[in-house]
Amino acid sequence: TLRRLGGSARFVIDTHPTNTLYLDLLLQLCPDAKIIQIQRDPLDLAVSIFARNFVTGGHWADTWQGIATRLKCYDRLRAHWSPWDPVIASVSYEDLVADPDSVLSNIVDALGLPKVETLAPPAVASAHAPLPMPWASFADRPAVNSDAIGLWRPFAPWLTQFAEAYGRDALDGQSNIPTEDRA
């Protein structure tokens, strides 16, 4: 399946949000897999997930409560992984946007790959701008960019349910989210 989907790519990048549920199985099937964890502001992540139209398996993404529950499950899974830590690199999305060359260089080091001059792929691969690294991505996602940071702010009045379900104390003191009685 990987060959069919990824062609001759040496590396696969799959960013589907349900991957965390199958990490143990993935590592049993692909014991040499390297897991890189992206951490993102939960508010931005919630808005991004809510805006995606997951065709299959994403019914949890239809409500703020469902998204909060899934993110809390992910947090518990991360706590579970900590003793045996299959994650070789944790990356802050915000740091990746601010300094992609440094963050990607650290990932290349963590993977034990040889250095390459250009690490970040172009937003769209073409014959004139081929991907500099042999990877295949199964996600149709836009390039990482600063527009995705603070994405939640215009939606603050509608994030009350998410904030309550996820836990306001886990949102780093984001006081811009109205309480239920002020929404």
Side-chain angles (χ1 to χ4, degrees), residues 140-161:
D140 178 20
R141 303 229 183 226
V144 173
N145 65 63
S146 60
D147 292 345
I149 297 174
L151 183 67
W152 66 271
R153 293 186 192 288
F155 302 97
W158 297 278
L159 289 172
T160 302
Q161 290 176 338

Side-chain angles (χ1 to χ4, degrees), residues 124-149:
V124 176
S126 70
H128 302 291
L131 293 175
M133 291 186 70
W135 55 36
S137 178
F138 302 135
D140 178 20
R141 303 229 183 226
V144 173
N145 65 63
S146 60
D147 292 345
I149 297 174

Side-chain angles (χ1 to χ4, degrees), residues 60-95:
W60 58 269
D62 294 342
T63 66
W64 296 118
Q65 174 72 39
I67 294 169
T69 299
R70 182 59 63 108
L71 293 182
K72 285 177 11 181
C73 288
Y74 177 72
D75 292 344
R76 283 195 302 272
L77 277 172
R78 280 185 34 216
H80 169 73
W81 298 337
S82 61
W84 53 281
D85 204 4
V87 176
I88 64 154
S90 286
V91 176
S92 158
Y93 184 89
E94 292 77 12
D95 290 348

Side-chain angles (χ1 to χ4, degrees), residues 14-75:
D14 187 359
T15 60
H16 197 279
T18 60
N19 288 342
T20 57
L21 299 175
Y22 305 109
L23 183 59
D24 190 40
L25 176 61
L26 172 67
L27 290 171
Q28 289 180 36
L29 293 172
C30 306
D32 294 333
K34 307 294 186 209
I35 309 301
I36 300 167
Q37 172 180 276
I38 300 286
Q39 296 170 328
R40 188 172 177 192
D41 178 325
L43 292 166
D44 284 342
L45 187 56
V47 169
S48 178
I49 290 170
F50 192 78
R52 294 278 301 171
N53 182 17
F54 290 106
V55 178
T56 60
H59 301 293
W60 58 269
D62 294 342
T63 66
W64 296 118
Q65 174 72 39
I67 294 169
T69 299
R70 182 59 63 108
L71 293 182
K72 285 177 11 181
C73 288
Y74 177 72
D75 292 344

